[in-house]
Amino acid sequence: MYRIVESREIAPAVKLIRILAPEIARKAQPGQFVILRVDAMGERIPLTLADWNITEGTITLVFLEVGVSTRKLGELKEGDAILDLLGPLGNPTDVRNYGTVCIVGGGVGIAAAYPIARALKRARNKVISIIGARTAKLLIFEEEMRRCSDEVHISTDDGTKGYKGFVSDVLRKLLQEGYGFDMVYAVGPAVMMRAVAEVTRPYNIKTIASLNPIMVDGMGMCGACRVTVGGKTMFACVNGPEFDAHKVDFTELIRRQMAFIQEERMALELWEANKRGDE
Amino acid sequence: MNKWNRFKAVPIPKQPPQVRIYNFNEVALGYSEEQALMEAERCLQCANPQCVLGCPVEIDIPTFIRLIKEGKFREAIVKIKEKNNLPAICGRVCPQEDQCQKYCVLSKRGDPVQIGRLERFLADWEREHNVEIPEKKPSTGKCVAVVGSGPAGLTVAGDLAKLGHEVVIFEALHEPGGVLMYGIPEFRLPKSIVQAEIEYIKRLGVTIKTNILVGRLYTVQELLSDEGFDAVFIGTGAGPPIFMGIPGENLCGIYSANEFLIRVNLMRSYLFPRWDTPIKVGDRVAVIGAGNVAMDASRCALRLGAKEVHIVYRRSRTEMPARKEEIENAEEEGIIFDFLTLPVAYHGDESGWVKKMECIRMQLTEPDETGRRRPVPIEGSNFMMDIDTVIVAIGRRPNPLIQQTTPGLRVAEDGTIIVDENMQTSIKGVYAGGDIVTGEATVISAMGAGKKAAKSIHKYLMGNK
Ligand SMILES: Cc1cc2nc3c(=O)[nH]c(=O)nc-3n(C[C@H](O)[C@H](O)[C@H](O)COP(=O)(O)OP(=O)(O)OC[C@H]3O[C@@H](n4cnc5c(N)ncnc54)[C@H](O)[C@@H]3O)c2cc1C
Ligand SMILES: Cc1cc2nc3c(=O)[nH]c(=O)nc-3n(C[C@H](O)[C@H](O)[C@H](O)COP(=O)(O)OP(=O)(O)OC[C@H]3O[C@@H](n4cnc5c(N)ncnc54)[C@H](O)[C@@H]3O)c2cc1C
Ligand code: SF4
Ligand code: SF4
Ligand code: FES
């Protein structure tokens, strides 16, 4: 069992939890993720490490409550525990001095971008961050991003904060204004990462995306997470999760993410009905 | 009950096909005491028993069968457990027809003695009558780390614990057992039985730590230098599924057999939505390949509600690598076999779901020098099959993580770990065995490797005291 030492809502339906996992904290590196299972009948779900603390022996996860597993996880309070936790998984981000980097984070992806931005800043890059959400209330980790960025640009789909539009629109604007980026890093929903890749493609800027396909084992044994990159099949959990965004077949990724959508909806309705029945 | 006949095996009761395709309960139901006694009676108690030569762990078969005849079930199971820590599993999934039973003298005149079924009978009897824990040697103060909890890892761990060593198994998944747990379906090997056998290994004093991926959390070198282990055994088995690399293979609805079976077995998706992991099986399913894995996947698909399940195989009936018993079970259940057929492409609908499988007909060449007949495509014979789900079961590669993260470890071109005759790798104190060394093989050969490694590790540990 892995004990939760902190749990709080940082935006509507977005939770931050800290879990006691000293060994994972000791080994964690930016860009890596864990796979966890809440309880004995639970699904294995991957979540990116949003932070870790070696002295406290904790890891931080930030997640959007979308279905049964993330809802169950979100219900847990300080002192509760989850059954299984495996990590750190995936290849760490290639942190080095690129020069000027642009970190683009969308939605809960901003939390996943944070340790990467921090590491790139420590590696003496100039860090320009673009973060965005659907609406102002959903914008998370702004403070954290400010701490490790030279500039932070904000967008919301509805214009309630910052630029009205998508993060990719902001990126396009900056490039048109003459910003020169040596590397662009994108993490967030697949559609957002695809848009970012399309913006940087004509400029020929190295662009990395952190992919989030459906996973089961997370250690290379099942192939559920396969993605097409440069015409080749890759297993995102062991060959990634980061890939050259210009080579990723995002359309396929988006389709594969939806593979169980009917089952997931049905399960969520059932879970909610059961919950109402219990109370 | 049929009449006793020395040359006819006592049949094993089974769930009838028309019933069992609607459940995941075990198909073969096991001998009753009476049936076991009848079957044991057939053994000739050969002075020079050939059957033993066919068993990779050299179980003293005539003696355990004699003990059954004498009604001494406790002594009989103890006899087996001298050599085999996991008899309830081997009795069920060993390819006996290629091993012990193949060499039984009776097979020249009729059915061989059903050694596997008798082994299973005893193991099941013991589970119902309290499992005895053998005496352990006094503690040696030595510590061994075992990576992977499949049959190889469990065996090496059990044997070393009996010899007085402290043993810790590190398993990456959340449940120990390896393929026994995540691969072989409930209806062939009930998970409660695997769990009971693992419980026995734990009661021998072995600690099992799940959710630990060695190579990421600790490297093999760190286990030796920082974590205080005196030796390491690597039993990480086979993992990454092989795909054919044909167009459309990443469409939705196409699974590797590993994904399909992990969902069904480890994640119990046949109990979805009570269990959280979903699985989706359409009406028409094609399983590519004809080994044990393909049989298991096809029979799972049927139980998950598929109307029509095809085994699609590029060679013919006689070349099928699966166990005969499992092929028969699959046929009885209504699995359709499409021989001499090779998929060449998949075609999907506008939302990316597989709808059609394009195949080409094959023919077998004349036998070459090695006697093998190769399948070659028949030009222009392409045709389409309507399909909702595809399960690719054409093999798996060795798990690569340890090899990638252990400098100095000698690895063969196919990714397997190279060991010497004592199962030692190129690194002193580091041993390996099972599928990670041989490539995909069998439960009992993995156990055999575990036995051998345990002996070598014991010698190594006691030698450098
Ligand atoms: C490497 C990686 C890192 C991720 N990091 C984060 C993160 O930091 N924060 C966050 O909120 N989300 C993250 N995700 C997505 C997260 O795993 C899913 O939102 C979660 O699994 C949904 O589970 P559910 O049961 O709540 O929802 P469901 O109702 O089961 O599914 C909702 C959607 O989530 C996706 N999903 C479902 N099951 C899985 C699965 N087993 N693996 C991956 N995706 C799945 C599918 O697209 C699905 O349509 C990450 C995914 C990956 C692959
Ligand atoms: C579907 C299927 C059906 C089969 N049917 C039969 C049958 O009927 N009869 C038969 O004899 N054989 C059968 N086999 C083959 C048999 O199961 C294998 O040969 C046997 O399990 C190999 O044992 P092993 O101990 O080497 O590895 P495995 O059983 O593969 O176990 C390896 C374990 O190591 C873990 N692991 C891997 N990497 C790491 C790491 N880095 N850190 C920690 N843990 C790790 C894995 O999670 C796994 O649990 C079947 C195989 C499959 C897939
Ligand atoms: S372990 Fe397997 S091969 Fe050996 S006697 Fe038992 S069934 Fe036969
Ligand atoms: S070879 Fe057959 S008959 Fe002879 S001892 Fe072995 S099982 Fe019995
Ligand atoms: S999640 Fe199974 S191979 Fe990546």
Side-chain angles (χ1 to χ4, degrees), chain A residues 219 221, chain B residues 93 95 147-153 170-173 178-179 182-184 188 212-214 235-238 261 292-293 296 323 396 399 401-402 434-435 441-443 446:
Chain A
M219 53 182 278
M221 302 217 301
Chain B
V93 303
V147 186
S149 64
F170 296 102
E171 168 57 52
L173 292 174
V179 169
Y182 78 72
I184 304 180
R188 207 147 70 75
I212 292 181
L213 184 60
V214 176
T236 45
L261 291 169
N292 283 325
V293 181
D296 284 347
R323 290 188 60 193
R396 310 183 303 152
N399 266 316
L401 186 57
I402 303 277
D435 282 5
T442 59
V443 172

Side-chain angles (χ1 to χ4, degrees), chain B residues 109-233:
Chain B
R109 295 276 309 273
D111 297 335
V113 175
Q114 300 296 297
I115 301 165
R117 292 176 183 173
L118 291 174
E119 185 172 331
R120 165 189 172 159
F121 163 76
L122 286 172
D124 291 353
W125 179 90
E126 189 197 28
R127 216 174 35 258
E128 282 154 25
H129 293 83
N130 184 30
V131 178
E132 274 179 17
I133 300 300
E135 239 177 85
K136 268 182 19 185
K137 298 262 161 52
S139 169
T140 60
K142 300 283 181 186
C143 278
V144 184
V146 172
V147 186
S149 64
L154 290 173
T155 303
V156 92
D159 280 13
L160 288 170
K162 281 195 241 173
L163 290 165
H165 304 294
E166 193 183 322
V167 187
V168 181
I169 299 183
F170 296 102
E171 168 57 52
L173 292 174
H174 58 263
E175 285 189 62
V179 169
L180 307 174
M181 212 57 201
Y182 78 72
I184 304 180
E186 178 77 17
F187 55 81
R188 207 147 70 75
L189 180 63
K191 300 303 149 232
S192 59
I193 285 172
V194 182
Q195 279 158 345
E197 298 274 50
I198 289 170
E199 208 42 50
Y200 171 75
I201 302 288
K202 283 196 200 159
R203 284 174 64 193
L204 292 173
V206 173
T207 306
I208 303 183
K209 292 194 173 174
T210 51
N211 297 317
I212 292 181
L213 184 60
V214 176
R216 287 267 188 232
L217 203 58
Y218 326 102
T219 62
V220 168
Q221 220 55 55
E222 284 167 342
L223 287 174
L224 291 166
S225 57
D226 306 352
E227 304 295 324
F229 290 98
D230 301 297
V232 176
F233 175 83

Side-chain angles (χ1 to χ4, degrees), chain A residues 23 27 40-42 44 72 84-85 88 91 219-222 224 226 228 233 252 255-256 259-260 262-263, chain B residues 172 174 211 216-218 222 240-241 249-250 252 254 256 258-259 263 272-273 275-276 280 350 353 399:
Chain A
E23 291 180 316
K27 287 293 164 105
M41 295 185 185
R44 294 170 69 94
K72 275 188 186 172
D84 296 300
L85 181 64
N91 298 307
M219 53 182 278
M221 302 217 301
C222 75
R226 61 197 196 275
T228 302
T233 295
E252 178 187 277
R255 285 172 168 173
R256 288 184 62 84
F260 296 100
Q262 286 153 2
E263 287 76 10
Chain B
H174 58 263
N211 297 317
R216 287 267 188 232
L217 203 58
Y218 326 102
E222 284 167 342
E249 218 168 10
N250 293 345
C252 295
I254 304 184
S256 76
N258 244 22
E259 179 186 351
R263 282 184 185 275
F272 179 85
W275 286 60
D276 292 341
K280 203 175 187 130
E350 56 299 329
W353 278 87
N399 266 316

Side-chain angles (χ1 to χ4, degrees), chain B residues 42-46 48-52 61-62 65 100 103-106 112-113 115:
Chain B
R42 300 204 305 123
C43 171
L44 300 171
Q45 293 292 309
C46 305
N48 181 11
Q50 295 302 300
C51 52
V52 178
I61 296 167
I65 297 185
C100 51
Y103 298 94
C104 171
V105 287
L106 287 185
V113 175
I115 301 165

Side-chain angles (χ1 to χ4, degrees), chain B residues 317-387:
Chain B
R317 176 175 289 272
T318 42
E319 289 88 14
M320 281 201 286
R323 290 188 60 193
K324 212 172 119 241
E325 188 182 331
E326 299 312 328
I327 297 172
E328 281 167 15
N329 280 334
E331 280 193 309
E332 275 176 22
E333 290 170 11
I335 306 288
I336 301 160
F337 289 77
D338 299 333
F339 295 112
L340 295 167
T341 307
L342 180 76
V344 292
Y346 301 102
H347 303 279
D349 62 14
E350 56 299 329
S351 50
W353 278 87
V354 67
K355 283 289 161 245
K356 284 184 190 305
M357 177 166 82
E358 185 177 342
C359 295
I360 192 163
R361 301 233 186 261
M362 309 291 279
Q363 61 190 10
L364 293 176
T365 58
E366 290 306 312
D368 60 14
E369 317 78 75
T370 61
R372 252 173 97 81
R373 306 180 63 188
R374 268 186 318 111
V376 289
I378 302 174
E379 208 68 46
S381 65
N382 295 43
F383 66 100
M384 290 284 187
M385 257 171 99
D386 288 329
I387 225 78

Side-chain angles (χ1 to χ4, degrees), chain A residues 35 214-226 235-238, chain B residues 241:
Chain A
I35 283 200
I214 291 182
M215 295 188 174
V216 185
D217 63 303
M219 53 182 278
M221 302 217 301
C222 75
C225 63
R226 61 197 196 275
F235 291 3
C237 67
V238 287

